[in-house]
Amino acid sequence: MTTGEPGWAAGVPNDVEMWRHELRRLGWAAGCAPALALVAAVAVVALTAGEGLERPQASLVLLTGLEALLPLAVAMAATSVVAAGRARELHLSLPTPYAMVLGRRLGLLAAATSAVAVVFTGAIWAAGLWSGPSLVASPLLWAPAVAWLGGLAVLVALVTRSLLLATTVAAGVWLAHQLFAASFAAHAWSRPLYLFPVSRLDAYPGWMTDRLVLTATVAPLAAGVLLLLRRPERMLTEEEA
Amino acid sequence: MDIAITGLRRSFGRVTALRGVDLTVRGGMYGLLGGNGAGKTTLMRIMAGVIAPGAGQVRIGGYDLTTRSGRRQVQRRLGYVPQDLGLYPDLSPREFLDYVALLKGLDDSAARRRQVEELLDVVGLTGVAGRRMKGFSGGQRRRVGIAQALLGDPALLIVDEPTAGLDPEERIRFRTLLAGLAGQRTVLLSTHIVEDVAQTCHETAVLAAGQVIYSGSVADLTRAAEGTTWQMSSAGAPPIEGVVVSAVARETGTQFRVISPARPSPDATSVAPTLEDGYLALMQRHSSTAVG
């Protein structure tokens, strides 16, 4: 059998083939989730435009899409990658560590998220609807929240080995941040941990510093995830174990 | 690939799955028998590097499975067919095998593709190689499982309950395929179907409640029921004495095959035991010892 025969793609390097396989394993639902979250924000603006939606309001909805909806969608997608993957036992018996397989899939999700977020930011800036920080600092709007909520969801998925529990925790935290914005803002210690400062607290002075603090708090979550990934049986669900 | 296990223990929370397993396997096809919950799957998973041993020593081909590097070395030489394969239904067998081959580190594209096509042929799936696995039968899925395990020509093949749920014809085909593979490598077959071991293995071990209660030749295990295997006919209820292995209804009454240390009835005749009889006699002896 040589390259180019029926059933085989011709002349594709192994690395590309591996990433192509992992992209398919990520699945269209998880891969499209970040884009769909932002499309939902655009849809809200489009549907309410005829009802006298002012530009500042439209801008806020779009920023909310970027700052709040995107992290939620990514957290759900990341949870499904970790907790709903198939053939886990087989993967755990292969010489390529399953943690690396999951890392590739989560990496693809992160890449898709970054790409759609950057394109979305550029698009609303070009449309004159951008009311967030400078374009250079714009990743601070969504990236820390995506990493924090996504990291938390993955950590819970690994600890509980339950898709339901992980998604519930991620959605619960997201909802708490939406409902109790004022409470988070009221204390100096909780303000840096608040996920949605621009859309819910109107980008108070010093929010960028707080964003960097939030980014730093991702480190213990990431360390927890890496620690759990070193214990292969953590990857089997309760039913499989 | 030689396997040497001594004092292996493994617990999951409060449940102890393995309580000091000692086992030595030296090439060829080796059967691992035991009922549900005996600890077979845990033992298979430890040998496949899926889970780490709790305590004790596990060496395969000289590599120490209590270390991460040892597990990785064994996995480079291993083909594993788990009980629940969990295949990707949206992939075709060809795509799935190509993916697994890449994960096994078969980097030479041409050689990898050649091997995938050869294995599809070996397991008789060439005709459906491009079809999605979504609608595959249990037998077809198992064959995909075997094919992926054979990628990279492993020295050790571990197969967990391969014939469970298969129809008799498919089971026989599968057994023949496995037996054919044992020529050049060690094949470890875990099953609760005694017939599968009887038809394919020379050596076997029996696991009960997390311990090896027998390891040796299949012939010797069969002999464990010598002098305790009886056949008798009865018009009424089964005999009270012993364990009934089979009951066949006939015009004259029901013919029972019974494992019992003593003659279960005056008209019972002693018969030559099968492996199933030997296995049941061993289990009966073990349970009475455990109770006593």
Side-chain angles (χ1 to χ4, degrees):
Chain A
M1 188 87 193
T2 56
T3 304
E5 284 191 32
W8 293 102
V12 182
N14 285 333
D15 283 350
V16 175
E17 287 196 26
M18 179 61 89
W19 283 100
R20 202 165 58 182
H21 274 297
E22 295 303 357
L23 189 62
R24 284 185 71 182
R25 296 307 92 231
L26 175 65
W28 71 267
C32 294
L36 289 174
L38 299 178
V39 167
V42 174
V44 170
V45 170
L47 289 171
T48 51
E51 296 168 16
L53 185 75
E54 301 290 333
R55 283 184 77 84
Q57 289 169 305
S59 174
L60 181 62
V61 171
L62 294 171
L63 279 184
T64 302
L66 202 55
E67 190 184 45
L69 291 182
L70 184 65
L72 181 65
V74 172
M76 297 297 162
T79 307
S80 78
V81 167
V82 172
R86 298 182 74 93
R88 270 186 293 256
E89 193 175 344
L90 176 61
H91 272 290
L92 290 170
S93 74
L94 297 174
T96 301
Y98 190 40
M100 191 184 283
V101 171
L102 289 181
R104 283 198 195 109
R105 293 177 192 173
L106 291 173
L108 286 167
L109 179 62
T113 303
S114 303
V116 295
V118 167
V119 168
F120 186 77
T121 301
I124 57 178
W125 180 82
L129 288 168
W130 180 256
S131 60
S134 69
L135 280 185
V136 176
S138 65
L140 284 177
L141 190 73
W142 53 270
V146 163
W148 199 91
L149 203 59
L152 176 72
V154 169
L155 186 67
V156 175
L158 288 172
V159 169
T160 64
R161 295 183 272 183
S162 163
L163 178 66
L164 182 65
L165 265 176
T167 50
T168 303
V169 168
V173 167
W174 185 89
L175 195 61
H177 277 251
Q178 288 294 335
L179 293 175
F180 305 114
S183 302
F184 275 96
H187 308 286
W189 64 267
S190 60
R191 205 177 302 131
L193 300 175
Y194 188 60
L195 295 175
F196 317 122
V198 174
S199 58
R200 299 286 286 125
L201 301 177
D202 207 15
Y204 55 86
W207 77 272
M208 280 202 206
T209 313
D210 285 353
R211 255 352 213 182
L212 295 174
V213 173
L214 181 68
T215 306
T217 64
V218 174
L221 292 174
V225 168
L226 289 174
L227 202 68
L228 289 170
L229 286 176
R230 287 174 68 85
R231 295 180 59 197
E233 59 264 42
R234 296 297 324 172
M235 309 305 303
L236 296 171
T237 62
E238 286 291 353
E239 292 75 30
E240 290 166 327
Chain B
M1 228 178 167
D2 289 358
I3 299 169
I5 300 171
T6 47
L8 175 62
R9 299 181 68 84
R10 188 63 163 90
S11 300
F12 300 96
R14 290 179 189 170
V15 180
T16 304
L18 299 176
R19 309 163 184 270
V21 168
D22 298 312
L23 188 66
T24 304
V25 179
R26 288 192 189 86
M29 187 130 176
Y30 195 93
L32 190 63
L33 283 167
N36 294 328
K40 299 191 303 295
T41 294
T42 301
L43 185 58
M44 296 281 125
R45 282 177 173 174
I46 288 173
M47 285 193 274
V50 172
I51 56 176
Q57 282 296 313
V58 185
R59 294 189 83 84
I60 296 181
Y63 298 107
D64 182 0
L65 265 77
T66 58
T67 66
R68 196 180 296 274
S69 63
R71 286 199 290 276
R72 204 58 76 204
Q73 288 296 333
V74 169
Q75 287 179 332
R76 291 204 177 103
R77 294 154 178 83
L78 168 78
Y80 179 51
V81 187
Q83 195 174 340
D84 180 16
L85 263 170
L87 300 171
Y88 295 106
D90 60 313
L91 290 185
S92 69
R94 182 181 281 131
E95 290 168 329
F96 180 70
L97 294 185
D98 185 55
Y99 178 46
V100 175
L102 282 166
L103 292 171
K104 282 191 170 186
L106 305 182
D107 289 332
D108 182 333
S109 294
R112 189 177 74 243
R113 291 167 179 199
R114 190 168 53 243
Q115 197 176 126
V116 166
E117 295 300 331
E118 280 168 6
L119 288 173
L120 285 167
D121 186 44
V122 166
V123 299
L125 287 174
T126 303
V128 291
R131 219 178 75 190
R132 286 185 175 198
M133 294 188 283
K134 198 175 181 177
F136 273 22
S137 68
Q140 284 174 315
R141 283 165 188 266
R142 288 276 158 198
R143 281 190 264 164
V144 174
I146 279 288
Q148 66 76 24
L150 290 171
L151 284 163
D153 195 18
L156 172 63
L157 195 61
I158 296 178
V159 195
D160 195 3
E161 301 284 1
T163 59
L166 299 186
D167 61 54
E169 205 180 334
E170 190 78 55
R171 243 180 69 198
I172 291 165
R173 197 180 308 151
F174 214 84
R175 281 198 313 233
T176 311
L177 175 64
L178 283 177
L181 296 170
Q184 316 96 31
R185 54 177 68 82
T186 305
V187 178
L188 211 58
L189 167 69
S190 164
T191 182
H192 62 270
I193 303 169
V194 180
E195 182 66 10
D196 287 349
V197 171
Q199 297 298 329
T200 53
C201 305
H202 289 299
E203 299 277 319
T204 189
V206 179
L207 217 63
Q211 286 180 310
V212 174
I213 60 169
Y214 174 85
S215 67
S217 73
V218 168
D220 283 347
L221 179 56
T222 305
R223 276 194 283 274
E226 236 167 33
T228 60
T229 309
W230 309 92
Q231 200 159 288
M232 55 178 279
S233 284
S234 167
I240 303 162
E241 189 95 12
V243 176
V244 177
V245 180
S246 67
V248 182
R250 297 190 190 281
E251 280 178 11
T252 53
T254 309
Q255 191 176 71
F256 294 101
R257 190 179 180 89
V258 183
I259 305 292
S260 169
R263 191 183 290 269
S265 78
D267 64 327
T269 53
S270 181
V271 290
T274 63
L275 180 62
E276 191 170 34
D277 300 327
Y279 172 75
L280 286 171
L282 179 78
M283 296 304 273
Q284 190 188 28
R285 221 171 292 153
H286 174 72
S287 59
S288 62
T289 311
V291 170

